Amino acid sequence: MKKLICLQAVLVLLALRVGAAGHDEFSLTPLDTIRNYTVFNRVSVIDMRTNKEDIGYLRNGPFNKKNFQVTPGGFDHMLEQFAQITAGQAAAKGDQTLLIVVRDFSMADRPIQGEMGTFYGRMDFYLGKNDRYQLATHVDSFFETSNAWDVTGNVKRLAARKMTDWLFLMSDYKIPEGAAAVTPEEIKAAIATERKAYPIYNSEPKTGVYYTFDQFLNNMPGATEFIEKKYSTGDRNVSYFYEKGEGKKKGASLEKSGCYALYNGKKWYKGTSEGLMEMKYTNGDFYFPEVGHGIRKSDNAAIMFGLVGALVESASNRKGNALYRMRLDPATGKGNCTERLQ
């Protein structure tokens, strides 16, 4: 009896160790240095991330315990140090400051079953001096990596590698003539108000069917009546939507009509390759699921959802369908990948 009690206690402790998340201090490890010339001699970082508590998680130990990665000295200070070390040995330097405005920076170690991980970076790079900066480039990129032996190391190297690549890109970047110069305060203000021009981000959504992207942005549904049918699939209900026909009859399926979005008074649904899928409004942005091509769980390869949302893939042929979390870009109506879901 005592042995049984002891065994049960051990199992409970193991379950707690597996389930409980911890915290680790994190810093990027420099992988390369700029040797020749760089137009900047100083680096400054503005941290505009919504979640400043951590930069994602890595899994460690025999039980793959999830440990959130934190930067006690400040994320901006950590990234500035990494950039200064990477560019510090340049043979010659210009007189500009590189300003990095970070909107998102997150890692995930095995977010799904299998030895794969992800890194997402969303940031703006400016060059300037005397507190006046010009936009050089915008990054909104999602990466995946897989390694059967050490995916945790892969994820850390992936984040460092991509930051290094972006610093090398900026080392000899030439700003086009006539580019507007702005102060850090103006940059922050622009980010805080960047959705003000779109009514759907600033007013209560109207119930109805939004057939086009413009209707959605302007919060002006093309039809206010529709029919919603709920069907039970195991432990959850799934909604299907139809145009309203005569009387109580169903009209054409909105799953196939190509409507952009629908709001049923409680939830948003977004047209995707899989039909109308639930879309959520979180922290000032719309997010929805979408199917894409990702690396398989066992592949030792990497792909990228690249700059400004364009999808770029590596030469690896071993890819398959995967489900991603997309952030809606109000400038284009398309989605930028932020997270691997399945």
Side-chain angles (χ1 to χ4, degrees):
M1 186 65 177
K2 289 183 178 180
K3 289 184 178 180
L4 179 58
I5 294 175
C6 289
L7 178 59
Q8 289 175 334
V10 169
L11 292 175
V12 170
L13 287 173
L14 288 177
L16 290 173
R17 289 182 62 185
V18 172
H23 294 82
D24 286 335
E25 291 189 16
F26 178 86
S27 63
L28 286 172
T29 301
L31 300 179
D32 201 354
T33 55
I34 299 171
R35 296 287 182 173
N36 298 320
Y37 172 75
T38 175
V39 297
F40 57 88
N41 62 11
R42 182 174 176 273
V43 179
S44 180
V45 174
I46 298 178
D47 184 4
M48 297 291 290
R49 295 173 301 146
T50 301
N51 172 31
K52 292 184 171 63
E53 294 183 1
D54 58 74
I55 58 171
Y57 61 89
L58 299 174
R59 297 184 185 273
N60 305 110
F63 302 106
N64 290 330
K65 178 184 177 183
K66 180 186 288 188
N67 288 300
F68 287 98
Q69 304 299 295
V70 298
T71 52
F75 173 82
D76 50 355
H77 180 66
M78 182 275 293
L79 191 57
E80 285 172 6
Q81 281 192 318
F82 173 82
Q84 294 286 13
I85 293 173
T86 300
Q89 298 186 41
K93 299 178 182 179
D95 61 351
Q96 298 188 76
T97 294
L98 173 64
L99 175 64
I100 308 174
V101 181
V102 182
R103 310 286 294 278
D104 208 328
F105 185 105
S106 56
M107 303 181 301
D109 185 348
R110 284 161 281 188
I112 60 174
Q113 292 181 352
E115 294 291 318
M116 63 87 63
T118 65
F119 166 62
Y120 175 55
R122 182 187 178 203
M123 55 196 80
D124 300 315
F125 293 82
Y126 291 81
L127 287 169
K129 52 187 175 181
N130 300 324
D131 215 31
R132 302 286 293 179
Y133 299 93
Q134 295 169 297
L135 179 63
T137 193
H138 170 72
V139 166
D140 195 332
S141 301
F142 179 86
F143 305 90
E144 293 182 343
T145 183
S146 180
N147 188 311
W149 299 103
D150 183 23
V151 72
T152 301
N154 262 34
V155 174
K156 293 194 287 188
R157 286 189 295 272
L158 177 61
R161 179 72 266 166
K162 296 309 172 184
M163 283 305 311
T164 301
D165 291 345
W166 294 328
L167 290 172
F168 267 81
L169 173 67
M170 297 307 304
S171 67
D172 60 354
Y173 198 94
K174 294 182 179 180
I175 299 289
E177 291 186 10
V182 291
T183 66
E185 289 71 27
E186 289 171 331
I187 293 172
K188 294 176 185 178
I191 291 175
T193 60
E194 62 186 354
R195 301 287 190 258
K196 290 292 185 181
Y198 309 113
I200 197 62
Y201 287 86
N202 301 286
S203 56
E204 286 295 320
K206 297 176 182 177
T207 300
V209 182
Y210 297 78
Y211 288 98
T212 68
F213 176 50
D214 284 340
Q215 288 177 355
F216 170 76
L217 278 187
N218 290 299
N219 197 15
M220 296 178 61
T224 57
E225 292 186 300
F226 56 88
I227 293 176
E228 179 179 0
K229 293 289 186 180
K230 294 184 179 181
Y231 300 92
S232 177
T233 58
D235 59 349
R236 66 191 186 99
N237 291 324
V238 178
S239 291
Y240 290 89
F241 298 93
Y242 305 85
E243 293 181 342
K244 190 176 185 309
E246 294 183 5
K248 295 183 179 180
K249 292 183 179 180
K250 294 187 302 184
S253 170
L254 289 169
E255 299 282 332
K256 302 175 182 178
S257 69
C259 78
Y260 185 82
L262 182 147
Y263 185 64
N264 71 354
K266 295 181 179 180
K267 294 181 179 181
W268 275 104
Y269 294 84
K270 169 78 170 63
T272 73
S273 62
E274 298 296 303
L276 286 167
M277 303 288 285
E278 185 177 347
M279 177 169 66
K280 296 185 178 181
Y281 185 65
T282 306
N283 294 324
D285 274 304
F286 287 95
Y287 293 88
F288 62 94
E290 181 57 280
V291 174
H293 289 284
I295 59 174
R296 294 180 181 174
K297 298 171 186 177
S298 60
D299 286 349
N300 184 12
I303 70 165
M304 173 181 79
F305 283 88
L307 298 178
V308 200
L311 174 61
V312 182
E313 297 181 346
S314 73
S316 171
N317 292 320
R318 297 190 297 175
K319 300 184 290 290
N321 286 342
L323 188 65
Y324 296 93
R325 185 176 186 241
M326 314 294 286
R327 187 189 67 258
L328 181 67
D329 182 353
T332 65
K334 299 179 180 179
N336 293 337
C337 181
T338 66
E339 185 180 355
R340 175 87 176 244
L341 298 177
Q342 291 181 5

